[in-house]
Amino acid sequence: MERLVDVGVDITQLPIPTGGEDNIVWMPDFKGEFNVSSTKDLFRQIYPMLEGASLIWKKEVHPVLAAQNWKFLRRACATYDLIKERFKIQTGNKCCLCGSDEETLDHVLFNYSFAARAWNWIAGIFSLQPNVNLLVSFKAAKGRSQMVRDLWLIANLVIKPELWVLWNRGVFDHMKPNWNVFFK
């Protein structure tokens, strides 16, 4: 009771028990017993399931490639639109490579003319249509052999980090992308 008074709790305003036995209650369980699994729920942040996450962590995909694409799925990239959203600051939002469109992650990885050329090239090889959504892109290979489906998935996962590297070179080294280098 002394501790309650010390922290400023008005004891006269506390509810009076109407009967029954006092129990120790641990949050968030409310059963009166401490357990580790309920305690971790107090600290753990639960994120929604990401569409396409199950495709990234397949055994056919190298872990480094999976980790790179995990960042794209989580949108953990430093494009101007995400910086503005995350840090609540105002910045100019023109793509450093084309200088005309707004710089978004989708623009860098799909809509920028160089990226569109890369996706058209890989689509021509597989005769499949790529999509911004990895799951939709993977489903385009439905009905093909397992090898073609796996190669299509890997192609989708490889192109994104390669385009990201080109964008970073444009931002930090002021280098324009070279198709011949990318093609090789």
Side-chain angles (χ1 to χ4, degrees):
M1 194 163 354
E2 290 174 10
R3 290 183 183 162
L4 290 173
V5 172
D6 288 343
V7 295
V9 174
D10 184 6
I11 297 172
T12 61
Q13 298 298 320
L14 291 176
I16 299 170
T18 58
E21 190 177 315
D22 278 347
N23 289 327
I24 297 174
V25 179
W26 295 93
M27 295 286 290
D29 196 17
F30 297 119
K31 292 179 184 157
E33 293 184 24
F34 172 81
N35 64 41
V36 175
S37 68
S38 67
T39 304
K40 77 174 183 199
D41 290 337
L42 288 173
F43 302 103
R44 182 178 71 164
Q45 279 188 311
I46 298 175
Y47 294 99
M49 290 295 294
L50 293 173
E51 198 172 28
S54 60
L55 294 173
I56 291 175
W57 302 111
K58 292 177 79 167
K59 66 178 175 52
E60 293 84 6
V61 180
H62 192 278
V64 171
L65 188 59
Q68 290 169 334
N69 279 275
W70 179 251
K71 292 176 186 175
F72 298 134
L73 273 181
R74 297 277 305 148
R75 305 192 68 75
C77 304
T79 55
Y80 285 132
D81 66 324
L82 296 174
I83 290 170
K84 283 171 53 173
E85 179 183 318
R86 193 171 300 137
F87 297 109
K88 310 292 186 240
I89 59 173
Q90 295 300 319
T91 62
N93 195 3
K94 294 290 181 195
C95 175
C96 68
L97 296 176
C98 69
S100 60
D101 290 332
E102 184 177 330
E103 184 181 285
T104 65
L105 189 58
D106 288 344
H107 173 75
V108 171
L109 299 181
F110 293 97
N111 302 329
Y112 170 56
S113 60
F114 191 90
R117 183 176 180 186
W119 287 109
N120 287 335
W121 168 67
I122 202 70
I125 291 172
F126 284 90
S127 298
L128 294 169
Q129 190 59 43
N131 193 296
V132 173
N133 184 319
L134 181 62
L135 194 57
V136 172
S137 188
F138 182 71
K139 285 181 180 179
K142 185 177 180 179
R144 304 284 180 99
S145 71
Q146 184 64 44
M147 183 182 293
V148 170
R149 287 195 312 263
D150 289 343
L151 288 171
W152 176 245
L153 173 64
I154 298 299
N156 275 263
L157 296 177
V158 166
I159 286 180
K160 291 177 193 174
E162 292 298 323
L163 290 169
W164 186 254
V165 167
L166 287 176
W167 178 80
N168 274 312
R169 286 186 185 149
V171 170
F172 298 109
D173 300 333
H174 307 290
M175 295 174 58
K176 293 288 181 190
N178 182 331
W179 178 254
N180 293 327
V181 172
F182 181 84
F183 183 76
K184 289 178 184 176

